[in-house]
Amino acid sequence: MRLGQDPELDDLRRRVRELCTDSAPRRPHKAGVRAPEASEIPALRKWTAELYGRQLLGVNWPVEYGGLPDPHPRHEAVVSEELAKAGAPMPVGGGLLAASAIIDFGTEEQKTFYLPRIRSGEHIWCQLFSEPGAGSDLAGLHTRARREGDHYVVDGQKVWTTNGHHADWGYLLARTDADAPKHKGITAFAINMKSPGVQVRPLREITGTADFNEIFLDGVKVPVENVIGEENKGWMVTTSSLARERSSAGGGVTLFRALDDLVDLVSSTTRDDARLIDRGEVRCEVGRLAAAVQVNALLSAYGESRAVAGTGDAADAALSKVFFGEINLALAEYGMSVQAGDSIRVEGDPAAHADGWWQDAFLYARAFTIAGGTNEVLRNLVAERGLGLPR
């Protein structure tokens, strides 16, 4: 299948652009996936309701919960692209991931309660998957949930939880059968983040911001009706969520934006009274990076095309994520290197190029090679599932 021009998508792009111009909350231009400040949350809740209310997101949901009867296969990818181009935010938190699990595996009561509140922005969700010592090896998690009558008691620790300090609800994975094989004894839950025993600690990163959190769960009671799917079958619930997280339609947009700024940087920077862009070795490196950015866009489109045509596999999103992370890091490293001594200048320094954006991007870029599954683990996934190589 080819992803060509489509009048329906052209109209969709126009609608998203107009909405962004009129209503999108303005956020600081930072690299990566950055958590908002508490003061931004009310506006982001309202923005979430706007995106869903205009049926820009959630179009693949059941019609009775706000979806469209026959949405275009590329609808949400196009919306993500246009939001990224406009610098407008997606809904804060993991509501899309949680909604996917609830729609595919949840009860009618869960759908009726959670889905409208995700659409309205009333509920912000976080993803409680990763743990100390079991990040990319998700099935190696140690958080326990034991059944006691009409509820489970959960004990454990989660880490690298984006927006956990803003979340109302958490999409939790916990081990409910310690004797089962790693992938068999896991259960998915919806957990109220205001429950007694839930402690959230923001993690201050090298960027100076706190985008992630560690979550401590000490005797937290979770009602039985909050199980998503069946007990001990949480791995099945989880796999689709991970595939969604590892593929991002807006990722290519951010690379093209960084490439444009890199060209501006080398064009405006001089050494020995000559512009860097006039040096052959600089032009070669910028050209190499530009080619990689273009290949990333084609690879992403190829994976999306296969998914739309029903011919994709688990390796597509993993390969795209690995490629994006490596190119993003290479761009940030080169953007820093051409600044030489000025690379120590940061945000607020009048002499910093783009107000220190490159410095912030460099500090954050390594996270993209780790978050959502480390590139090393995802390469194994590509080798085993995509190429059929032995473990």
Side-chain angles (χ1 to χ4, degrees):
M1 177 180 178
R2 297 183 181 275
L3 303 179
Q5 291 296 111
D6 188 310
E8 180 181 342
L9 294 182
D10 290 341
D11 179 67
L12 176 62
R13 291 183 186 278
R14 176 190 58 76
R15 289 196 291 126
V16 177
R17 290 168 184 167
E18 290 177 354
L19 179 63
C20 289
T21 300
D22 295 339
S23 306
R26 299 304 166 192
R27 299 203 60 217
H29 178 42
K30 297 280 189 180
V33 181
R34 311 306 279 270
E37 298 295 330
S39 59
E40 298 178 86
I41 293 298
L44 291 171
R45 290 186 191 271
K46 182 179 178 182
W47 176 240
T48 296
E50 190 85 23
L51 292 172
Y52 280 107
R54 292 176 180 262
Q55 290 188 306
L56 297 176
L57 295 179
V59 297
N60 296 314
W61 294 18
V63 173
E64 61 268 32
Y65 295 109
L68 294 174
D70 187 25
H72 193 287
R74 296 202 64 226
H75 181 112
E76 294 204 350
V78 166
V79 171
S80 295
E81 289 172 4
E82 292 303 322
L83 292 177
K85 289 177 182 178
M90 287 285 287
V92 63
L96 285 168
L97 292 172
S100 174
I102 292 166
I103 289 169
D104 291 341
F105 299 95
T107 65
E108 286 305 314
E109 291 76 14
Q110 288 174 341
K111 294 173 187 177
T112 300
F113 178 75
Y114 295 116
L115 296 181
R117 290 167 174 81
I118 291 173
R119 295 185 75 94
S120 69
E122 178 184 346
H123 286 175
I124 292 174
W125 284 68
C126 65
Q127 178 182 316
L128 299 170
F129 288 5
S130 295
E131 297 186 4
S136 297
D137 180 21
L138 181 55
L141 61 85
H142 296 289
T143 293
R144 307 287 185 185
R146 66 182 186 277
R147 177 80 179 262
E148 291 188 358
D150 61 355
H151 64 267
Y152 290 81
V153 178
V154 181
D155 293 283
Q157 181 183 354
K158 299 293 181 176
V159 74
W160 308 123
T161 304
T162 310
N163 291 302
H165 51 321
H166 298 310
D168 306 291
W169 286 83
Y171 174 13
L172 169 72
L173 295 183
R175 189 163 298 284
T176 43
D177 186 348
D179 298 322
K182 282 200 332 183
H183 297 82
K184 301 293 185 182
I186 296 171
T187 301
F189 299 88
I191 180 173
N192 188 327
M193 294 297 288
K194 305 302 187 291
S195 300
V198 177
Q199 183 180 11
V200 181
R201 295 183 186 174
L203 295 168
R204 185 69 59 181
E205 294 121 40
I206 195 172
T207 56
T209 57
D211 304 303
F212 306 102
N213 302 265
E214 54 183 347
I215 313 292
F216 296 90
L217 306 163
D218 184 10
V220 181
K221 292 183 177 181
V222 180
V224 170
E225 56 266 28
N226 286 23
V227 171
I228 303 174
E230 299 179 39
E231 184 179 284
N232 295 328
K233 294 187 178 179
W235 188 255
M236 187 189 312
V237 178
T238 307
T239 50
S240 62
S241 298
L242 289 176
R244 289 174 184 270
E245 184 187 37
R246 288 168 182 163
S247 59
S248 173
V253 174
T254 64
L255 291 185
F256 278 112
R257 183 179 295 139
L259 178 63
D260 288 342
D261 195 66
L262 179 64
V263 172
D264 177 64
L265 174 63
V266 296
S267 298
S268 61
T269 302
T270 59
R271 270 315 135 66
D272 300 325
D273 298 324
R275 297 188 311 162
L276 286 182
I277 194 64
D278 294 328
R279 293 186 177 184
E281 68 274 17
V282 172
R283 296 172 71 89
C284 283
E285 183 60 18
V286 172
R288 185 186 70 81
L289 291 169
V293 170
Q294 293 285 352
V295 170
N296 175 79
L298 292 173
L299 181 63
S300 178
Y302 175 67
E304 184 187 349
S305 176
R306 280 164 54 91
V308 169
T311 59
D313 61 38
D316 291 343
L319 184 61
S320 183
K321 189 268 178 185
V322 169
F323 208 67
F324 168 81
E326 298 290 346
I327 297 171
N328 180 70
L329 178 60
L331 278 165
E333 289 177 336
Y334 193 67
M336 287 287 281
S337 71
V338 299
Q339 294 180 65
D342 285 339
S343 63
I344 64 171
R345 300 186 184 278
V346 296
E347 182 181 358
D349 187 332
H353 179 81
D355 196 27
W357 185 89
W358 283 102
Q359 285 71 17
D360 186 67
F362 171 74
L363 293 175
Y364 194 96
R366 183 65 66 180
F368 274 125
T369 69
I370 301 170
T374 66
N375 284 3
E376 291 78 10
V377 168
L378 295 183
R379 285 189 174 95
N380 284 340
L381 189 154
V382 171
E384 293 166 14
R385 301 189 188 180
L387 301 177
L389 298 177
R391 291 177 63 86

